[in-house]
């Protein structure tokens, strides 16, 4: 039996820049008026640079830059940014594909286990200040 490599695991985080959660995708689909059409200018490492309609450039972090490159290369994709849900949408003729993107370039590592939620209860040795800090940090992502 072989040992899995470090990059052979699925990311379980639904924080911006990691994987797309179905609720995020559904909400973005229901509110197309909140999307902004963009052009993908470049992908450098985990950063996707997009140009907005006014010519400004926005840098977005994603853990899946290869997917962004592949979707950008699709035949004539229309690309949009949904800033409310942190999604880049690629709309080639046959489907819509989404990539989670964050304006915070430090998206952190991908967790190897499913998020079980932070709003449960304090950990065994966690006081209320530490719990409040953990909740605040999770909501900032």
């Amino acid at each position: 039996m072989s040992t899995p490599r470090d990059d052979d695991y699925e990311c379980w985080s639904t924080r911006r820049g990691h994987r797309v959660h179905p609720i995020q995708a559904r909400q973005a689909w229901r509110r197309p008026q909140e999307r902004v059409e963009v052009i993908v200018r470049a992908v450098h490492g985990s950063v996707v640079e997009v140009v907005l309609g006014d010519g400004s450039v926005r840098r977005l972090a994603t853990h899946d830059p290869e997917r962004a490159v592949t979707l950008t290369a699709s035949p004539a994709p229309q690309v949009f940014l949904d800033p409310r849900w942190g999604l880049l949408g690629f709309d080639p003729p046959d489907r819509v594909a989404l990539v989670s993107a964050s304006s915070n370039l430090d998206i952190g590592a991908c967790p190897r286990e499913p998020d079980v939620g932070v709003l449960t209860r304090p950990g065994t040795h966690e006081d209320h200040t530490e719990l409040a800090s953990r909740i605040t940090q999770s909501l900032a992502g």
Side-chain angles (χ1 to χ4, degrees):
M1 176 188 272
S2 65
T3 304
R5 297 183 332 216
D6 282 346
D7 59 351
D8 283 344
Y9 67 92
E10 180 180 359
C11 174
W12 285 94
S13 178
T14 56
R15 297 174 80 181
R16 290 181 183 205
H18 292 275
R19 70 182 228 196
V20 178
H21 190 278
I23 293 173
Q24 296 165 329
R26 185 174 57 239
Q27 292 298 332
W29 180 258
R30 288 182 177 169
R31 294 178 175 87
Q33 69 276 10
E34 295 181 11
R35 300 177 194 159
V36 178
E37 197 164 330
V38 297
I39 297 170
V40 175
R41 182 167 91 170
V43 179
H44 303 285
S46 63
V47 176
V48 179
E49 290 183 359
V50 297
V51 180
L52 283 72
D54 64 2
S56 63
V57 176
R58 191 170 292 176
R59 299 181 65 198
L60 305 165
T62 181
H63 81 151
D64 201 358
E66 295 85 11
R67 180 171 164 82
V69 169
T70 300
L71 292 169
T72 301
S74 297
Q78 179 181 7
V79 183
F80 65 85
L81 170 65
D82 189 314
R84 179 175 184 185
W85 298 103
L87 298 174
L88 274 175
F90 297 83
D91 195 6
D94 58 342
R95 70 193 190 296
V96 173
L98 300 172
V99 173
S100 183
S102 174
S103 57
N104 177 0
L105 298 182
D106 183 15
I107 60 174
C110 298
R112 296 173 184 264
E113 298 175 6
D115 291 338
V116 294
V118 296
L119 302 176
T120 53
R121 64 181 83 154
T124 307
H125 301 289
E126 184 177 45
D127 67 22
H128 293 297
T129 304
E130 293 168 328
L131 173 65
S133 175
R134 182 165 51 97
I135 291 169
T136 302
Q137 288 175 353
S138 73
L139 296 175

